[in-house]
Amino acid sequence: MAKTKRRGLVPLIIVGVLAILLVVAYFLIDSGVRAFAQDRAEVEISNRMPASVTGDITVAIGGTSVIAQFIAGSFDEIELTAPNLAVDGVPASVHVIAHDVSTNTAKAIGSLTATLDLDQDALNQLVRTSGTAPADAVMTLGDGMVAYTGTVKLFEFNVGYSATATASAAGDTLNFTPTEATVTSGVGDIDATPLVNLILQQAPFGVCVASYLPEGVELSGVDISPERARVTLESSTLMLTAQSLTTLGSCAG
């Protein structure tokens, strides 16, 4: 009787072992599919980037099973990292996380959040090429603010000044609002107080970045430290099509 029970358990044990092997095989296959999908995504994204964008991109697909996500028609999370990207020669470190990414590229990504790190030289290059900031502004990154120098014309004098400003983000523009100013040259015996007040009362000067971004991607924040200016971007309308990725915004004027 005991032998009969043991013989009856043998098929169950075999089935159990086979089930375990199938699960292991599935996840091994899934791992291979994940690696292939990530490599393919890196190639596709690189091919669809504008010609003005250069640099290597690493793709990581989140979730427990790429196969199951593919069958469901949507990937839970895709992470893109590009520590040495350049846009029109402006260097930047980029980190992107996208959620609910449909396998149908004609559908918009559920949500996308990206951070863009610019060093001091990159920020100054961006400021110069924007055409919307003072032409002679030279920025220095600080703790929660930027310091910059420039000149203004007062009567027949070219007056030099230094100022500090806080940074904020709105839509497609980085705004810099002066908080302190000091006149450094060019006024002789003239009282500089009215000029300092004039500088501080000026509206924030903006650096438009729309021409660097696909339409539908907007700035949501900026954080300044001595090491870098970190810009945060968001979108819920971006699609992973060649047209969407290469249709960039424009700056008024």
Side-chain angles (χ1 to χ4, degrees), residues 24-35:
V24 172
Y26 171 80
F27 281 103
L28 286 174
I29 293 170
D30 185 72
S31 177
V33 170
R34 187 185 300 273

Side-chain angles (χ1 to χ4, degrees), residues 99-102 104-111 236-240:
H99 293 100
D100 299 325
V101 182
S102 175
N104 180 355
T105 57
K107 291 185 178 181
I109 294 171
S111 66
S236 59
T237 60
L238 186 67
M239 294 182 292
L240 295 179

Side-chain angles (χ1 to χ4, degrees), residues 13-31 65 67:
I13 294 171
I14 293 173
V15 169
V17 171
L18 286 176
I20 293 171
L21 289 175
L22 286 172
V23 169
V24 172
Y26 171 80
F27 281 103
L28 286 174
I29 293 170
D30 185 72
S31 177
S65 168
I67 295 174

Side-chain angles (χ1 to χ4, degrees), residues 150-169:
T151 59
V152 294
K153 195 169 185 66
L154 179 65
F155 304 117
E156 297 302 317
F157 298 98
N158 286 319
V159 181
Y161 68 90
S162 61
T164 58
T166 56
S168 60

Side-chain angles (χ1 to χ4, degrees), residues 152-154 178 181 183 192-203:
V152 294
K153 195 169 185 66
L154 179 65
V183 171
T193 303
L195 181 57
V196 170
N197 291 336
L198 178 63
I199 294 170
L200 295 179
Q201 290 167 9
Q202 289 178 341

